[in-house]
């Protein structure tokens, strides 16, 4: 079974750093892009960026460039999303998703279960 | 940048057919994919490409596209279809980071 399993919920203070993870299993982790998606409380889905674990090629949505860092460790089939200095506005649910592409469309399947990040003083 | 526009809310009577639409310039060049999200759960892929359903998705879900509009149709809506639905496509640079704002489907 193809699965993405994310790390558990986090409660942090503003200014702290954080790294959350997404571990893939049941498929060749280095052969598919992994994307990260933010969902703020009561709001819609927002793409943050994607990484190709095979060579660590990484692309960021313009809205998130410079705000977060996406990385991967292919030796343990794990992708990461990290912040160097959290803000209260980073409070959200974060999902990872395996990304598939064809010339005229892309799709995301499966998704991780989500990691809730709460930033509060 | 590219945007995708969805109606915020749609309702359908149990057993009837409902169409959820997604509009955007990028849809003239790229197909959409569609995701169902129920409260407290991660999104689930329901339709991708021209009209492809992942394994396990009921055949009452179908997709279509015309001009700048992609549509998700549920034929014979069930109570368990009540959820938020999001479309996704590419931006003008071919990057996959465009989501619609989501449509809340209520099954009456």
């Amino acid at each position: 079974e193809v699965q993405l399993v994310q790390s558990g919920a986090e409660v942090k203070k503003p200014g702290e750093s954080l790294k959350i993870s997404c571990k893939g299993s049941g498929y060749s982790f280095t052969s598919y892009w992994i994307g990260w998606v933010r969902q703020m409380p009561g709001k819609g889905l927002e793409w943050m960026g994607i990484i190709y674990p095979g060579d660590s090629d990484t692309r960021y949505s313009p809205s998130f460039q410079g705000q977060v860092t996406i990385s991967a460790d292919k030796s343990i089939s794990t992708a990461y999303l990290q912040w160097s200095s959290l803000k209260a506005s980073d409070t959200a649910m974060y999902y990872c998703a395996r990304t598939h592409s064809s010339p005229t469309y892309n799709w995301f399947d499966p998704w991780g279960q989500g990691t809730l990040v709460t930033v509060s003083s | 940048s590219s945007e995708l526009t969805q109606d915020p809310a749609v309702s359908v009577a149990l057993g009837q057919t409902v169409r959820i639409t997604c509009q955007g310039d990028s849809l003239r060049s790229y197909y959409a994919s569609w995701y169902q999200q129920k409260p407290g759960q991660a999104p689930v892929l329901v339709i991708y490409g021209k009209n492809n359903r992942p394994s396990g998705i009921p055949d009452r879900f179908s997709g279509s596209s015309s001009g700048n509009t992609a549509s998700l149709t549920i034929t014979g809506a069930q109570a368990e279809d009540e959820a938020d639905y999001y479309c996704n496509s590419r931006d003008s640079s071919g990057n996959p980071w465009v989501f619609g704002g989501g449509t809340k489907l209520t099954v009456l």
Side-chain angles (χ1 to χ4, degrees), chain B residues 17-105:
Chain B
T17 296
V18 62
R19 176 173 290 183
I20 298 169
T21 62
C22 174
Q23 289 187 299
D25 288 342
S26 66
L27 298 176
R28 298 184 185 279
S29 304
Y30 302 111
Y31 291 106
S33 53
W34 291 92
Y35 303 86
Q36 176 192 70
Q37 187 180 33
K38 297 181 180 179
Q41 297 183 20
V44 172
L45 175 70
V46 294
I47 290 289
Y48 62 102
K50 191 172 184 180
N51 183 20
N52 302 304
R53 272 179 296 106
S55 172
I57 300 301
D59 61 6
R60 63 178 179 271
F61 289 88
S62 63
S64 62
S65 185
S66 177
N68 72 336
T69 301
S71 300
L72 173 69
T73 300
I74 307 174
T75 303
Q78 302 299 302
E80 61 264 32
D81 299 334
E82 189 162 286
D84 293 327
Y85 290 86
Y86 294 91
C87 61
N88 172 272
S89 188
R90 297 177 181 174
D91 67 10
S92 56
S93 299
N95 295 308
W97 20 77
V98 185
F99 275 112
T103 297
K104 183 177 182 60
L105 176 65

Side-chain angles (χ1 to χ4, degrees), chain A residues 33-38 44-52 57-65 68 70 97 99-101 105-108 111, chain B residues 1-4 22 26-27 30-31 33 35 86-101:
Chain A
W33 292 82
I34 292 282
W36 286 95
V37 175
R38 182 176 78 174
L45 305 175
E46 302 172 90
W47 264 108
M48 302 176 73
I50 54 176
I51 187 166
Y52 190 74
D57 184 8
T58 307
R59 304 175 192 179
Y60 294 92
S61 167
S63 302
F64 291 93
Q65 179 81 48
V68 296
I70 294 171
T99 302
H100 308 248
S101 288
Y105 56 95
N106 41 258
W107 68 103
F108 314 109
W111 293 61
Chain B
S1 64
S2 179
E3 294 185 345
L4 298 177
C22 174
S26 66
L27 298 176
Y30 302 111
Y31 291 106
S33 53
Y35 303 86
Y86 294 91
C87 61
N88 172 272
S89 188
R90 297 177 181 174
D91 67 10
S92 56
S93 299
N95 295 308
W97 20 77
V98 185
F99 275 112

